[in-house]
Structures are given as C-alpha cells and as structure tokens.
Amino acid sequence: MVMFFGLTNSLATFQMMMKKISQNLINTGEMVRFINDIIIGMEKEEEHEVVEEVVKRLAENNLYIKLEKCKWKVREVGFLGVIIRPERIKMKEEKVKGVLDWLTPR
C-alpha cells in the first residue's frame, strides 16, 4: 500500500489496515500495536509461531520491518512512555521527573 503525503487521512487509513491485518492476534493478547509499533509477548522463547504469523501477515500486505529498529529477546521494553516488564509496568523516569522534583508547597 502506497501512502501519499497529500492524503489527509493516510494515518487513519494505515490504522484501519493494521487493525484488519492483526485484530485476532490483538484480541487473544498475543500482540499489541500502536500505529506502526508492534509488541509481541510470549512466556517462552519456543513460542515463536506468533512472530512468524505477524511477519507473514505484514509481508502479505507489502509491509516491511526495519530490523535495526527491532528488539529481540528482551525482558523490558519502552512503549508509549512506559516501561513494560513481565512483573510490572512503570512510567519512564523522564516522563515524571517534573512531578518528582516538585517542591513541597508551604
């Protein structure tokens, strides 16, 4: 799919296309996406079928992955201003620094 810069709803069109491609994977909790960011989570490394399915669906729709932007086999990832770990989700420090450094009112 070619996106033209003059097209005013290209972001919405891209979002709808990504929803159509990946909706059932999102519904089962195997994948999370926001615009062009995709997170695939799994309990064990052996559960790579989901990764293969996502790559296959992207390729079938002429979408490609930039390998230099990918992170593989990580236990922690930053996504939309939060840090996601298996045991918890927390805000990035720079996002809350202003609130943490606030002086106590007198």
Side-chain angles (χ1 to χ4, degrees), residues 36 38 51 55 58 64-74 77:
N36 63 344
I38 298 173
V51 177
V55 171
L58 293 173
Y64 304 95
I65 298 170
K66 281 191 168 184
L67 291 177
E68 64 269 10
K69 290 186 174 185
C70 294
K71 295 181 182 178
W72 304 94
K73 299 182 182 180
V74 294
V77 65

Side-chain angles (χ1 to χ4, degrees), residues 77-92:
V77 65
F79 187 65
L80 300 177
V82 296
I83 299 171
I84 302 170
R85 296 181 180 146
E87 60 277 355
R88 69 183 228 172
I89 298 173
K90 74 174 203 170
M91 293 293 298
K92 287 186 178 179

Side-chain angles (χ1 to χ4, degrees), residues 26-44:
I26 292 169
N27 289 344
T28 59
E30 297 172 307
M31 175 181 145
V32 177
R33 69 159 174 79
F34 181 74
I35 305 178
N36 63 344
D37 292 324
I38 298 173
I39 294 180
I40 303 168
M42 59 193 71
E43 295 290 324
K44 301 174 193 158

